[in-house]
Amino acid sequence: MDAQGRGRAGDIDPADQWVLNPDTGEYELRLPPSAAQSPVPGPRGAAPADAPDREVPPQRRRRSAPEEPPPGRAGRRRPAKKNSRGKRVLLWTGGTMAFVVLAGGTAGYLYLQHLNDNIQSVADDGASTGGFQKDKAINILLIGTDKRTGSGNEGYGDTGSAGHADTTILLHVSKDRSNATALSIPRDLIVDVPDCPTTQEDGTQKVIRGTTGVRFNTSLGQDGRTPSCTMRTVTELTGVTPDNFMVADFNAVKTLTSAVGGVEVCLAKDIDDPDSHLKLPAGEHTVEGEQALAFVRTRHSVGFGGDLSRIQIQQQFLSALMRKLKSNDTLTSPSKMLKLAEAGTEALTVDSQLDSIGKLKDLGLELGKLNTKNLTFTTVPVVDNPAEKVKATVVLKEGPAQQVFDMVANDVSFTEVKQKEKKEAAAVAARLKGERSEPSEVRVRVMNGGAPAGSAQQELAYLQTDAGVTKSENAGNAPADLSRTTLEYAPDQADQARALAEILGLSGAAMKPGESVTNSQGLPTMTLTLGKDFKGAGVKINAAAGKTPEGVEKSTADKVECAK
């Protein structure tokens, strides 16, 4: 039910009272002269019976209350340009909540309370990092369940499903917000599900025992497992601990697509899938509601007819949804923005660290900094399970899979972010350009700053024996642990630093211009501090941005692709 359906019969949709002033670029609240009060619903959609009538002042321009500009606005004084409006869109549903802050005053407060009442949350059971942070990379676990609750969902497959992790995406947003990776995890991937401490309905905790060699989708729903258990399974699999999770059921796809007026998708061939109820000819189509759900559920008529084919069509659908959310058609429509806020808070279940409209708004503002051309969709590299005669499950393709996990863990982009958009990034990249010394001329001391014990000595042996960096020595443990390996050097050692960076696979960000120190012989030397990203002696430390591991397919959210 949308916002206007929650008030009394004959009430005006609150979205229709907000009008974009083209001269100022701001939304203005315009009430009819006869209105007794704003019809924006309060908590639970009901006004107190004893609420007194209030006199409405003459129509005038209301000043916006929020500290942050709302989606689609570049500032208070000048109208936003179309291209900047698109770049500031809040890409995921939680981001649309920022729009309601425009209301201000009593009406806005009541509506925010109403949206807070919509939000459903589930304990994270200590499986998360404690919630996303604005100054760090963000990892959100998006889970689509196959639970058939809600009107109209009875005819889809297993009506008695407990709600397994049917569709799972680990969304990684870089620390600098310049790029993001949406990593799909196949539901039929064989994994080990760890023991999961789980909060019960009565508030007590129960440890649900783990199992080995089972389908990934059983990390949710099976044996009473909650999304926090899926979180632990993802951490076990990828080495990345999610900050938060969002769970959506069948109704989420239907209500969210209807809220934006449909999503444009493309088919390379005619599809008639009786299982998903999708029947569409080849070409471009706008789908919403039941038809959108049928689109994301179809698999027998696309690709090889399995779950991996369905993952590709779901990625295409999400890309299309991203583009629709960033379009001016959505951003300049108060009605659509409010419907998105309504649909999003009703359709999604979030973790206990993300259980308020304020937190969702903050997350949306962070995600809104991203440009869709740098949002990459990819899938965990897998192969058919060799233990099965009839192929029904998949297992990791070990080498490429580990490379993908490492790229996400180390905040490495799958796309080449244009450096001209980032002056700081350009300066960092410049550290790798220039003359390089011969390895025999490189003087460096190696310290352990978070790598496994013995790593400094192992890397030293590699440098001296295999890389020709003979003027190197072990300097023991660093004063503090580092998450990423760094190389500190003086300006006159830049040629040595570039040579060592090439040998070790260091990025420009790992190179820290500073001061040299003296080694055991009293000579100036650089300092290489091995961080937690150290993978072993002789192993390149940082993958290059934009270079995807061999055999790994990817697509970006800014491009229209037709399902085959």
Side-chain angles (χ1 to χ4, degrees), residues 190-240:
I190 296 300
V191 298
D192 294 339
V193 178
D195 291 348
C196 296
T198 306
T199 301
Q200 305 299 296
E201 290 185 2
D202 61 2
T204 61
Q205 273 220 340
K206 173 184 177 182
V207 176
I208 300 176
R209 295 300 174 190
T211 51
T212 59
V214 295
R215 278 182 167 89
F216 175 85
N217 70 339
T218 62
S219 64
L220 177 64
Q222 197 82 7
D223 302 322
R225 294 181 179 125
T226 65
S228 68
C229 194
T230 306
M231 235 184 201
R232 294 184 192 277
T233 305
V234 168
T235 301
E236 191 91 356
L237 173 69
T238 67
V240 178

Side-chain angles (χ1 to χ4, degrees), residues 145-149 156-166 220-221:
T145 76
D146 58 357
K147 198 167 186 177
R148 271 80 169 163
T149 55
Y156 293 106
D158 180 13
T159 56
S161 173
H164 298 112
D166 201 45
L220 177 64

Side-chain angles (χ1 to χ4, degrees), residues 12 38 75 101 111 179-180 227 236 245 263 310 326 330 357 368 380 392 411 538 540:
I12 300 171
S38 171
V101 181
Y111 193 65
N179 65 88
E236 191 91 356
F245 65 71
V263 172
R310 180 165 63 177
K326 72 169 287 185
T330 299
I357 200 68
V380 173
D411 202 17
K540 298 290 186 181

Side-chain angles (χ1 to χ4, degrees), residues 12 53 72 119 174 177 239 241 413 441 444 458-459 462 470 504:
I12 300 171
D53 290 337
I119 297 172
S174 66
R177 309 296 185 253
T241 301
S413 175
E441 298 174 357
V444 63
Q458 294 168 12
E459 185 69 355
Y462 163 75
T470 54
L504 301 179

